[in-house]
Amino acid sequence: MAVGLTLIFGVMRVINFAHGDMMVWGMYIALLLSRRAGLDPYVGFVISAVALFALGLAVQRGLVQRIVDAPHEMQILLMLGVALVLENAALMAFGPEPERVRSPLAASTIWLGPVFVDVGRLVTFGVAVLLTLLLWLFLFRTDLGRAIRAAADNPYGALVIGTDVRRVYATAFGIGAACVGAAGALVSPLLPFQPATGLSLSITSFNIVIIGGMGSLLGAFIGGLLVSVAESLGAVFLAPSLKELVSFSLLILILLFRPAGLFGKRAP
Amino acid sequence: MSAQLRLDAVEAGYGDLVAVRDVSLEVRAGEVVALIGSNGAGKTTTLRAITGLLPVRRGRVEFEGERLDGLGPAQVVARGIAHVPEARQLFPTMTVRENLELGAARRARRRRSDALDLVFTLFPRLRERQAQLAGTLSGGEQQMCAIGRGLMAAPKLLLLDEPSLGLAPVTVKLIFENLRAINARGTTVLLVEQNVARALELSHRGYVIENGRIALAGTRAELAQSGHVRQAYLGL
């Protein structure tokens, strides 16, 4: 999920506060697919991703396009508005009760050498690695991906050489949202969720992205690993309810010693 | 011969500021035309109005008999005009090769490799540095990369904005020799320059722009002998 956020921020310098709520929608789509069509979330995540791609494209075309050049505080207001709309739409559609998607995979466990692992978590991790790799290939090996990187690197330069910058932004936003949709569906069997989960997910994503470095794909991935390991260790050694203490302390440490994040570019 | 590019009483600017008031000029196919003038005279604005980066407020721009004003930069590039902007505007965290290939993003892959060969023939230095990040190149190499990126689109008309800015005299000489070679291959060049002596040396004709208006126009010889140009721009 942090990878999607990185893409959107890296390309457009727009901070997407609706991130967590988009992810919650990815989860509810997985829930619907599993309840109505009996589709396992580990398959259904593809559909979640496609749906969120469309949602991202619509939000970008309809709203974000108008404020790309506006100051950050305007963008934050708009994205918070989108977040509120998405959260309350979920509340109307699905009600406030916590939900969880059932998947046979999530219930089973295997021994991996000396360690006892959830199959669900293993698959989630595997798919996340695969998606990150695919995204990397897309960004570095295809024309559209390169155009996205170019527009992130120097938007004016991209305009000069005749890149359709609007189309590039829309695609980047759509793909960012699709990553989030996929992530939401993939964690839906592991994490109970309700419409209000969005905010805490947004905050966790920001934490990850800031630790990894704004705008860096690798940073987002490593940041994600760091934060989850830190939280798990915190839950074991302190108390489960204190796990966020560890990840946010990590954030403060990183900000103190490497303000641009682990893999972030320094401000010019 | 009729003009390839024609500007007719063009006005353009930024917000309330009118940077170009009334510019009319012509560039014929195969020519090198210089647009000279001091800082803030409206040279860059004129180029940006041609490529659609700035809207043309009044007047018209025609390329090969068709109107350009009102089109966006993507459409202007598609019609065969490449813009090598001031300060080069490369993609610093991408490789030289990626920068070049982005210049040909709209063209078929096979055409691209031909164009890449041509650019590498003109600028062998870029071939050596193709895997390096563009942001780590020297100023002269960056300028070559920017010109190369423009050429990758196989333009009929190449617009250059201050290619000599901030470069060592040897490098400037090299770049201008390359521009002459590019023109000899049939590409029309419209060159914006503050280095008036160099610009006139390369050009067939020139325009002098002052306060957003064309103050003087003529062939290279006419401009080089004009008392005004000699005094104001050549310091003779």
Side-chain angles (χ1 to χ4, degrees):
Chain A
M1 58 170 167
V3 169
L5 194 62
T6 290
L7 190 64
I8 292 173
F9 177 79
V11 175
M12 280 182 282
R13 314 264 151 210
V14 170
I15 295 172
N16 181 8
F17 270 100
H19 201 74
D21 294 287
M22 288 184 164
M23 186 155 165
V24 167
W25 269 90
M27 293 168 157
Y28 275 110
I29 291 169
L31 180 73
L32 279 182
L33 286 170
S34 131
R35 292 241 170 109
R36 298 279 159 86
L39 206 58
D40 193 280
Y42 295 111
V43 181
F45 82 88
V46 179
I47 299 176
S48 276
V50 172
L52 266 288
F53 179 82
L55 177 70
L57 213 62
V59 169
Q60 147 70 17
R61 278 274 155 94
L63 301 168
V64 181
Q65 187 66 60
R66 297 160 203 264
I67 51 116
V68 165
D69 300 319
H72 272 313
E73 60 267 25
M74 312 277 276
Q75 300 175 350
I76 289 171
L77 275 180
L78 175 78
M79 294 323 294
L80 279 177
V82 173
L84 283 175
V85 169
L86 285 177
E87 178 177 336
N88 287 291
L91 205 55
M92 279 169 74
F94 308 106
E97 293 81 24
E99 305 272 8
R100 187 170 196 153
V101 183
R102 274 168 223 297
S103 161
L105 272 180
S108 52
T109 46
I110 51 163
W111 286 98
L112 208 73
V115 207
F116 194 55
V117 204
D118 277 5
V119 176
R121 281 173 208 276
L122 205 63
V123 173
T124 303
F125 180 75
V127 175
V129 172
L130 191 73
L131 285 180
T132 310
L133 208 66
L134 279 178
L135 191 61
W136 187 87
L137 279 177
F138 168 73
L139 288 174
F140 283 82
R141 293 281 177 266
T142 69
D143 283 351
L144 188 56
R146 284 187 181 146
I148 288 177
R149 283 168 55 222
D153 216 6
N154 181 353
Y156 180 71
L159 205 58
V160 163
I161 60 168
T163 310
D164 187 346
V165 177
R166 278 165 173 261
R167 196 175 70 115
V168 165
Y169 282 172
T171 317
F173 207 96
I175 291 176
C179 290
V180 176
L186 285 169
V187 300
S188 65
L190 307 172
L191 193 74
F193 54 96
Q194 59 200 79
T197 312
L199 183 63
S200 75
L201 287 175
S202 284
I203 291 176
T204 308
S205 307
F206 277 112
N207 191 359
I208 291 174
V209 167
I210 293 168
I211 287 176
M214 288 275 211
S216 159
L217 216 56
L218 181 68
F221 188 73
I222 304 283
L225 285 178
L226 267 177
V227 167
S228 56
V229 169
E231 290 198 351
S232 315
L233 290 178
V236 173
F237 291 109
L238 297 169
S241 56
L242 287 180
K243 63 183 169 105
E244 265 122 16
L245 183 75
V246 182
S247 56
F248 286 106
S249 309
L250 188 66
L251 173 68
I252 292 172
L253 278 179
I254 295 273
L255 285 179
L256 278 175
F257 294 106
R258 270 194 78 93
L262 290 177
F263 295 89
K265 280 173 267 179
R266 274 166 207 287
Chain B
M1 195 168 63
S2 70
Q4 187 181 42
L5 176 78
R6 186 198 304 275
L7 271 66
D8 195 15
V10 166
E11 183 188 306
Y14 311 83
D16 289 338
L17 180 86
V18 183
V20 164
R21 235 166 262 288
D22 175 19
V23 165
S24 301
L25 59 85
E26 272 186 20
V27 182
R28 296 177 205 129
E31 269 188 323
V32 179
V33 171
L35 186 58
I36 56 188
S38 53
N39 258 341
K43 303 176 304 259
T44 298
T45 309
T46 306
L47 290 192
R48 298 186 56 173
I50 296 171
T51 45
L53 289 161
L54 263 189
V56 174
R57 292 191 185 159
R58 257 181 241 178
R60 57 194 288 159
V61 179
E62 278 177 23
F63 182 65
E64 298 184 324
E66 286 178 52
R67 286 191 76 151
L68 278 191
D69 47 289
L71 299 185
Q75 292 155 300
V76 172
V77 172
R79 272 160 212 242
I81 299 181
H83 184 183
V84 181
E86 198 175 6
R88 312 182 270 266
Q89 304 290 347
L90 295 174
F91 306 111
T93 69
M94 301 178 74
T95 65
V96 168
R97 188 173 174 135
E98 282 178 322
N99 268 275
L100 293 174
E101 283 177 342
L102 277 161
R106 308 181 144 258
R107 306 178 69 217
R109 289 198 176 260
R110 201 182 55 79
R111 292 271 179 105
R112 268 188 232 180
S113 70
D114 293 347
L116 199 60
D117 282 342
L118 171 66
V119 170
F120 284 159
T121 313
L122 283 166
F123 303 107
R125 190 82 65 87
L126 294 182
R127 189 194 298 275
E128 293 164 27
R129 307 256 151 141
Q130 55 175 305
Q132 205 171 318
L133 296 186
T136 64
L137 295 177
S138 75
E141 288 161 351
Q142 287 194 15
Q143 187 61 52
M144 294 176 199
C145 188
I147 296 174
R149 186 180 67 180
L151 287 178
M152 288 295 289
K156 297 172 194 162
L157 170 64
L158 188 64
L159 308 178
L160 292 149
D161 199 346
E162 306 272 5
S164 73
L165 199 67
L167 302 184
V170 211
T171 319
V172 174
K173 186 159 175 278
L174 178 71
I175 298 241
F176 273 74
E177 277 163 11
N178 277 301
L179 291 180
R180 194 185 293 278
I182 290 162
N183 177 246
R185 299 180 49 90
T187 309
T188 314
V189 176
L190 177 58
L191 174 68
V192 159
E193 257 301 347
Q194 285 195 48
N195 188 338
V196 174
R198 277 270 175 226
L200 284 181
E201 208 178 282
L202 182 72
S203 311
H204 303 103
R205 292 185 307 116
Y207 292 87
V208 178
I209 187 168
E210 278 170 11
N211 296 317
R213 287 192 176 83
I214 298 293
L216 199 63
T219 62
R220 163 176 47 185
E222 283 164 0
L223 289 180
Q225 269 147 34
S226 136
H228 181 63
V229 172
R230 287 168 66 91
Q231 200 177 12
Y233 299 103
L234 294 172
L236 299 172

